[in-house]
Amino acid sequence: MGLVAATTLFSPVAMAASGPGDLTGYGLAFVCLFIFTIAYLAVIFEEKLHLRKSKPMLLASGIIWALISALVTAEGLPTETIEQAVMHDLEEYAALLLFLLVAMTYVNVLEERGVFNALRVWLVGQGFSYRQLFWVTGTLAFFISPVADNLTTALVMGAVIMSVGKDEPRFAVPALINVVVAANAGGAFSPFGDITTLMVWQAGKVEFFGFFALFLPSVVNYLVPALLMTPAIPNHRPEPITSKFRMKKGAKGMSLLFLVTIGLAVTFEKVFHLPPFLGMITGLSLLMFYTWLLKLRTGGYVLAHREAHLRKYGRLDTFEKISHAEWDTLFFFFGVMFAVGGLSYLGYLQLLSVNMYGEYGPFITNVAAGIMSAVIDNIPVMFAILDMSPEMDQFQWLLITLTAGVGGSLLSVGSAAGVALMGVSKGQYTFMSHLRWSWAVLLGFIASIGVHWLVNG
């Protein structure tokens, strides 16, 4: 996770539509803040409650705006600003939704074509030692996540690690932590690597190529804990895997189209001065035409050969892959954006901006926000800061992008990558096992901030 505004984001700056003034002192405003807190606690304990994170946030967002409407009406304040604020949040969400929907569709298509499985089988079959595999999976996670997003990258590399190290916890646990750190660090220097970087880019706070200034800090963030964990990794070789795996028809072409689609998003933003999601949608249309041509070439429309065709080529249906997008995540973003937007309308974010950015300055606040993202998901943290829109230069916007992106690595529950690997590790990678190495991750976090200060300050 982590991947992901129409008219307001078409112009460079995304700011929340202003409310009628400071409403934070009203009783209903306190109720809204309480509802948001309860909803987010439910998100944090998602695994314990067995409750998908979208459900409490969607409910909270609807209740918050209903209470806001009741408050504004009761106080005789202008109600026109409510519709403006809601439509503003809708415009922001629409742009993010369309962008992420295309990216998720491509990831699902590539997974169905066997691209990620082929990578996994190849890696496991190379006969690396545990220590070599620790560095190979971490390095690949670092360089794949800027394109494929940190969640998908962590799941692919996690599958490799569990395939080869399920009986060697001395390797599996540090290697999974390493992948979480690497995926989050790699996602921090690319607009496509994490939802927070995508939000900062689409808000116009940092230009597309400006994010690459975070490359060296991200490298340091990954290398420091990896070097500290390496001595704990056993150096003998696991049993080699000799099984072969062949990708399905069209896998290479679809992989190339994914890169073309990313290029189109950049081109639409840099050359045509249009929002990046238009480039992504254009790339999705290319995928649709490609699957159509592939069906024609392979006889996919001949009913008499349907079963044989499916066995050999798989199901070539782009719309089906769209339906398999991570809708829980997409609806969670909706709930977060509208709930945080409601708190901003009431004046809470402006109050927080004055108290934090005004009292302590942007540097301390941005570092603190990064540490906070280890407990609270970095999406609402970044969205709240974008809603505050404090006056900051590019160095500070890059700093909050870095800290929010890599701060989630401090705890296993701090990022989508960590949460996902806890789910697939069969109890080996846990909150406590990650916590035992959090000191090393923290040193990497501090070192990356220092490098950012030296290189970009």
Side-chain angles (χ1 to χ4, degrees):
M1 117 41 93
L3 204 227
V4 192
T7 54
T8 38
L9 284 181
F10 296 174
S11 59
V13 181
M15 296 177 61
S18 58
D22 184 7
L23 303 177
T24 56
Y26 288 89
L28 283 178
F30 286 118
V31 174
C32 290
L33 188 59
F34 176 75
I35 290 171
F36 178 80
T37 303
I38 294 299
Y40 212 81
L41 284 173
V43 171
I44 293 174
F45 295 105
E46 175 187 11
E47 294 296 313
K48 294 290 185 182
L49 298 173
H50 303 288
L51 180 71
R52 288 183 176 271
K53 59 183 176 290
S54 61
K55 295 176 182 178
M57 290 311 302
L58 285 174
L59 180 61
S61 63
I63 294 175
I64 285 172
W65 277 106
L67 292 176
I68 289 173
S69 178
L71 173 60
V72 169
T73 302
E75 295 299 321
L77 299 171
T79 57
E80 294 82 4
T81 56
I82 296 179
E83 183 178 356
Q84 293 171 4
V86 170
M87 292 307 296
H88 167 86
D89 291 341
L90 180 61
E91 289 168 354
E92 287 196 359
Y93 177 71
L96 185 64
L97 170 68
L98 292 172
F99 194 104
L100 289 176
L101 200 58
V102 176
M104 288 177 174
T105 299
Y106 263 104
V107 168
N108 287 336
V109 166
L110 295 181
E111 183 178 13
E112 189 272 336
R113 293 287 97 183
V115 173
F116 299 135
N117 272 334
L119 174 63
R120 178 177 62 84
V121 170
W122 180 84
L123 282 174
V124 173
Q126 294 307 301
F128 293 121
S129 70
Y130 283 120
R131 193 168 292 181
Q132 288 173 324
L133 198 59
F134 172 86
W135 279 97
V136 169
T137 53
T139 302
L140 282 174
F142 182 84
F143 286 104
I144 292 174
S145 63
V147 178
D149 83 66
N150 52 6
L151 174 59
T152 301
T153 303
L155 287 173
V156 173
M157 293 299 109
V160 175
I161 292 167
M162 292 309 299
S163 293
V164 72
K166 57 186 176 182
D167 298 322
E168 182 53 88
R170 291 182 302 160
F171 160 74
V173 172
L176 290 171
I177 297 171
N178 188 48
V179 162
V180 171
V181 174
N184 289 336
F189 71 87
S190 164
F192 302 102
D194 191 73
I195 304 301
T196 53
T197 56
L198 177 60
M199 291 166 69
V200 172
W201 176 40
Q202 290 205 124
K205 302 300 184 182
V206 179
E207 292 292 322
F208 180 85
F209 294 104
F211 287 96
F212 295 105
L214 292 176
F215 178 74
L216 283 179
S218 297
V219 169
V220 170
N221 181 269
Y222 160 56
L223 286 180
V224 169
L227 289 169
L228 292 171
M229 287 189 286
T230 296
I233 308 298
N235 204 27
H236 60 275
R237 296 180 185 276
E239 289 294 324
I241 295 178
T242 57
S243 60
K244 301 294 182 181
F245 183 85
R246 293 190 65 182
M247 294 183 293
K248 294 178 183 176
K249 191 76 172 178
K252 293 180 180 179
M254 292 173 184
S255 300
L256 179 61
L257 278 179
F258 189 26
L259 297 177
V260 170
T261 299
I262 293 173
L264 284 173
V266 178
T267 302
F268 270 62
E269 194 264 343
K270 298 294 293 183
V271 178
F272 302 125
H273 308 291
L274 294 168
F277 75 81
L278 277 175
M280 295 294 285
I281 290 294
T282 304
L284 179 63
S285 70
L286 296 179
L287 176 64
M288 291 176 171
F289 274 105
Y290 182 76
T291 56
W292 173 68
L293 290 173
L294 205 57
K295 285 179 180 179
L296 291 180
R297 290 179 59 188
T298 58
Y301 288 119
V302 181
L303 294 178
H305 304 290
R306 180 175 176 79
E307 292 302 319
H309 174 270
L310 288 176
R311 285 194 299 271
K312 186 174 182 180
Y313 298 111
R315 187 178 297 278
L316 294 169
D317 190 340
T318 308
F319 287 105
E320 184 188 35
K321 303 312 172 192
I322 293 174
S323 71
H324 290 165
E326 186 51 61
W327 287 101
D328 177 53
T329 300
L330 294 175
F331 281 125
F332 169 69
F333 293 155
F334 177 94
V336 166
M337 286 187 167
F338 276 77
V340 173
L343 298 182
S344 176
Y345 181 89
L346 292 169
Y348 281 113
L349 297 189
Q350 289 74 7
L351 187 64
L352 184 63
S353 178
V354 170
N355 288 338
M356 291 295 294
Y357 284 98
E359 285 276 328
Y360 302 105
F363 184 83
I364 292 177
T365 302
N366 290 336
V367 172
I371 295 174
M372 190 187 305
S373 69
V375 180
I376 300 175
D377 190 271
N378 58 4
I379 303 300
V381 171
M382 182 59 77
F383 187 72
I385 291 172
L386 288 172
D387 249 8
M388 295 176 196
S389 196
E391 288 294 329
M392 296 195 297
D393 57 19
Q394 178 151 309
F395 170 82
Q396 294 295 344
W397 279 111
L398 285 172
L399 176 62
I400 185 56
T401 301
L402 174 69
T403 58
V406 303
S409 302
L410 292 169
L411 298 175
S412 63
V413 297
S415 66
V419 172
L421 289 187
M422 282 195 297
V424 302
S425 66
K426 299 178 176 62
Q428 290 200 46
Y429 173 61
T430 64
F431 180 88
M432 293 305 299
S433 65
H434 187 110
L435 192 63
R436 282 193 283 270
W437 287 104
S438 289
W439 62 271
V441 181
L442 179 61
L443 289 177
F445 179 80
I446 295 170
S448 66
I449 295 172
V451 171
H452 175 54
W453 183 279
L454 291 172
V455 174
N456 302 317

